């Protein structure tokens, strides 16, 4: 495999180094960051604007329903 030499500023090198996993080379890191590897954070932030607000409201509503259901079951179980 051919190799290339890149010149980067020291501050950029330091940031890249801090992002590098213990078991990966700089080539692996750059491959991951450039989309060459499946990124678990790829869809992060996909909901924005109105869609994000609707999604957050749905999550909040589901959480409140679960809290109420849990409390009712606990009251039934423990007689409180």
């Amino acid at each position: 495999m051919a190799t290339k030499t890149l010149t980067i500023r020291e501050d950029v090198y330091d940031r890249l180094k801090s992002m590098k996993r213990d078991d990966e080379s700089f080539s692996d890191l750059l491959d991951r960051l450039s989309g060459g590897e499946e990124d678990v954070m790829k869809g992060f932030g996909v909901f924005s604007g109105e869609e994000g607000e609707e999604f957050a409201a749905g999550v909040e509503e589901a959480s409140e329903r679960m809290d109420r259901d849990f409390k009712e079951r606990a009251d039934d179980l423990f007689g409180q």
Side-chain angles (χ1 to χ4, degrees):
M1 176 186 305
T3 60
K4 298 286 183 182
T5 301
L6 301 173
T7 303
I8 59 174
R9 293 187 322 262
E10 193 167 333
D11 62 314
V12 174
Y13 172 82
D14 291 339
R15 283 198 312 271
L16 288 171
K17 186 176 179 183
S18 72
M19 297 169 74
K20 191 171 85 57
R21 298 171 183 160
D22 290 338
D23 64 338
E24 75 182 344
S25 66
F26 277 98
S27 289
D28 294 336
L29 169 66
L30 294 171
D31 190 37
R32 179 169 52 89
L33 294 177
S34 66
E37 178 182 297
E38 186 60 34
D39 186 1
V40 295
M41 298 296 286
K42 189 173 186 176
F44 186 75
V46 70
F47 291 109
S48 62
E50 274 185 42
E51 299 92 7
E53 291 173 15
E54 289 175 25
F55 182 77
V59 169
E60 182 68 28
E61 181 182 327
S63 176
E64 290 171 0
R65 263 195 327 265
M66 288 174 59
D67 287 346
R68 283 193 303 272
D69 184 57
F70 178 79
K71 184 177 180 340
E72 288 172 9
R73 288 172 188 252
D75 288 349
D76 288 346
L77 221 101
F78 301 113
Q80 295 179 357

